[in-house]
């Protein structure tokens, strides 16, 4: 297969999958988010998106990204250097909890335009870029397994399998973007997570951490509503 064929395979639009597949993907994504035992495992994907969001925005705001760590308890840490205050630091801190939902929204836009294979390859590119900055073994394993799944499906999977995987991934990000925000506020209400992203943002901006959590939740819910509308082609 030459470069032109690869390009057309990635860039060309695919036909919309059947409605049952889209709904089945939504159902499976919901099952990956709601039951606590499954969530303990699937939340690792959210952590990849969360820390990747911090890292990407740090680079976009010209901060120096030192490294990213992903842990088996689904926590993570992204370290960047630069001015300790200012817009770059605020945007970097705000990017984590919003990243899964906004990535899901972007994915929904691609799927609504039929760019199924393009979405898979964009995901591979983002994961490959993130892999360079991972600084621990579990993080490397997590990103490699996730990226390997995307690569295998995009290269060897048939049209319906690619569509099922892409829709499942996007539905998961849209749905899973809500739960960590709710969990964050629950921890904060019981005196936990004093150094959460919301609390760091409160110290940086003087705006209450509760309002930052409310903003995260608003973005997550708005992304879910808009992205779900695009995926289901409701008009």
């Amino acid at each position: 297969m030459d470069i032109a064929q690869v390009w057309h395979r990635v860039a060309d639009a695919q036909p919309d999958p059947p409605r049952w597949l889209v709904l089945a993907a939504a159902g499976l994504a919901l099952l990956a988010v709601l039951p606590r035992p499954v969530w303990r495992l699937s939340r690792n994907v959210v952590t990849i998106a969360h820390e990747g969001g911090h890292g990407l925005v740090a680079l976009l705001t010209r901060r120096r990204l030192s490294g990213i760590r992903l842990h088996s308890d689904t926590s993570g840490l992204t370290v960047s250097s630069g001015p300790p205050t200012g817009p770059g630091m605020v945007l970097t801190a705000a990017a984590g909890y919003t990243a899964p939902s906004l990535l899901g929204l972007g994915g929904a836009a691609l799927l609504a335009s039929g760019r199924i294979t393009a979405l898979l390859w964009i995901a591979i590119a983002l994961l490959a870029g993130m892999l360079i900055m991972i600084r621990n073994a579990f993080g490397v394993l997590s990103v490699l397994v996730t990226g390997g799944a995307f690569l295998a499906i995009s290269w060897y999977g048939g049209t319906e399998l690619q569509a099922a995987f892409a829709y499942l991934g996007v539905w998961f990000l849209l749905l899973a973007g809500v739960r960590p925000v709710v969990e964050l506020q629950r921890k904060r209400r019981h005196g936990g997570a004093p150094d959460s992203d919301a609390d760091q943002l409160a110290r940086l901006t003087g705006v209450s951490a509760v309002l930052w959590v409310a903003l995260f939740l608003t973005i997550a819910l708005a992304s879910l509503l808009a992205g779900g509308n695009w995926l289901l082609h409701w008009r």
Side-chain angles (χ1 to χ4, degrees):
M1 184 179 295
D2 60 29
I3 294 176
Q5 289 176 310
V6 172
W7 171 253
H8 284 299
R9 179 174 179 175
V10 172
D12 288 351
Q14 288 85 40
D16 291 338
R19 177 60 63 92
W20 68 263
L21 188 151
V22 177
L23 293 174
L28 287 174
L30 199 59
L31 289 175
V33 172
L34 291 182
R36 187 179 297 272
V38 181
W39 176 242
R40 287 174 184 159
L41 179 62
S42 64
R43 201 183 194 283
N44 285 289
V45 177
V46 179
T47 303
I48 292 173
H50 180 113
E51 300 303 332
H54 283 313
L56 179 60
V57 174
L59 291 174
L60 292 175
T61 55
R62 298 189 176 183
R63 296 180 61 79
R64 179 173 295 177
L65 183 59
S66 303
I68 298 172
R69 301 178 72 87
L70 306 172
H71 303 129
S72 59
D73 63 356
T74 74
S75 66
L77 177 66
T78 298
V79 179
S80 65
S81 58
T85 59
M89 187 63 201
V90 171
L91 290 171
T92 298
Y97 279 99
T98 58
S101 296
L102 293 178
L103 286 170
L105 185 62
L110 283 170
L111 293 181
S113 65
R115 294 324 196 265
I116 295 171
T117 305
L119 180 145
L120 298 176
W121 279 76
I122 289 170
I124 292 167
L126 290 173
L127 288 166
M130 185 176 179
L131 183 62
I132 298 170
M133 301 308 302
I134 297 292
R135 295 293 182 264
N136 68 320
F138 182 81
V140 170
L141 178 63
S142 297
V143 174
L144 281 177
V145 169
T146 306
F150 275 92
L151 183 60
I153 295 294
S154 66
W155 195 256
Y156 298 109
T159 302
E160 280 203 352
L161 181 58
Q162 286 191 14
F165 188 79
Y167 274 83
L168 174 61
V170 171
W171 274 120
F172 175 77
L173 288 174
L174 290 171
L175 292 165
V178 179
R179 182 163 179 173
V181 181
V182 175
E183 291 176 340
L184 169 63
Q185 185 54 27
R186 187 181 299 127
K187 287 180 183 177
R188 294 189 66 261
R189 192 165 55 244
H190 292 90
D195 292 319
S196 71
D197 293 352
D199 291 280
Q200 291 181 45
L201 285 162
R203 291 191 288 270
L204 285 167
T205 64
V207 177
S208 168
V210 173
L211 292 180
W212 281 107
V213 174
L215 177 62
F216 296 160
L217 185 59
T218 300
I219 291 172
L221 292 174
S223 297
L224 175 57
L225 289 174
N229 179 65
W230 289 341
L231 293 175
L232 293 168
H233 293 288
W234 285 343
R235 297 292 183 265

